[in-house]
Amino acid sequence: MKIMNLSKEQSQKLALLVIGHGMLVLLIGLVAGLMLVFSLLDAVTIWPLPVWDITIPGSTRGWQAAHVGGILNGVMIAGVALLMKRLQISGSRAFWVGWGMIITGWANTVFYWGGSLSKNRGLSVTETPFGEGDFFGAVAFLFGAPGMIFTFIAITIIAISAFEKSKELN
């Protein structure tokens, strides 16, 4: 098996793997929703358990972004996997789309969570208008920025494949 030139069967298996990763990213987005609730309440409270007065690290805005972003990323990743199957993408294209989406999901998850915990929203390794650079900001940026490249590659391949399929039908 050549790693970059997947057979149709390997491509279909990769598409299912992408769906699984997408659902894990979505699940972590749901967990970020719990962090959002706890951040809003400034306590960990799950009825009927006693309330724990704990300050949740990070910002409410950051947990909101991690919650919504995680859910949307999970849906996007699973949707792209279904498009891989529908467009019958195989070979090196399947490799780049499939692994590009897996990398996208985890890079964005680290970005959102790190951004929530950082002073500068994870938009740089240095100071931004939102705050000074710190460890979590650097981690968020250093994972998120390269992950973006894989997203652009995967989505471009999907678009090209769809246009090619539409020409085949004429």
Side-chain angles (χ1 to χ4, degrees):
M1 171 183 92
K2 292 181 181 176
I3 198 162
M4 298 256 309
N5 195 17
L6 304 178
S7 68
K8 287 189 181 210
E9 183 180 296
Q10 291 169 323
S11 300
Q12 295 299 306
K13 183 178 177 181
L14 178 58
L16 295 172
L17 185 65
V18 173
I19 292 171
H21 279 274
M23 293 302 96
L24 288 176
V25 166
L26 192 150
L27 181 64
I28 292 171
L30 294 174
V31 171
L34 289 175
M35 298 299 286
L36 171 61
V37 170
F38 300 154
S39 176
L40 287 167
L41 298 174
D42 208 20
V44 174
T45 174
I46 303 174
W47 186 88
L49 300 174
V51 175
W52 300 309
D53 289 321
I54 299 172
T55 300
I56 301 301
S59 67
T60 298
R61 182 221 44 86
W63 290 120
Q64 184 178 23
H67 174 54
V68 174
I71 291 170
L72 290 176
N73 271 273
V75 170
M76 173 187 69
I77 293 163
V80 167
L82 294 175
L83 291 173
M84 287 174 67
K85 291 172 76 68
R86 174 72 172 104
L87 295 170
Q88 299 173 349
I89 294 174
S90 62
S92 62
R93 285 183 176 187
F95 176 86
W96 282 101
V97 171
W99 286 105
M101 284 290 99
I102 291 170
I103 292 168
T104 291
W106 295 113
N108 285 343
T109 299
V110 171
F111 170 76
Y112 282 123
W113 281 68
S116 178
L117 298 170
S118 72
K119 295 176 183 168
N120 70 359
R121 297 189 183 178
L123 300 175
S124 174
V125 296
T126 61
E127 184 177 1
T128 71
F130 302 105
E132 63 187 61
D134 60 11
F135 173 76
F136 290 111
V139 168
F141 181 80
L142 292 172
F143 274 81
M148 226 180 357
I149 295 165
F150 287 97
T151 310
F152 284 116
I153 291 169
I155 297 302
T156 299
I157 292 170
I158 289 285
I160 290 168
S161 298
F163 286 124
E164 287 175 354
K165 277 285 188 202
S166 75
K167 285 181 183 177
E168 289 175 14
L169 297 176
N170 287 338

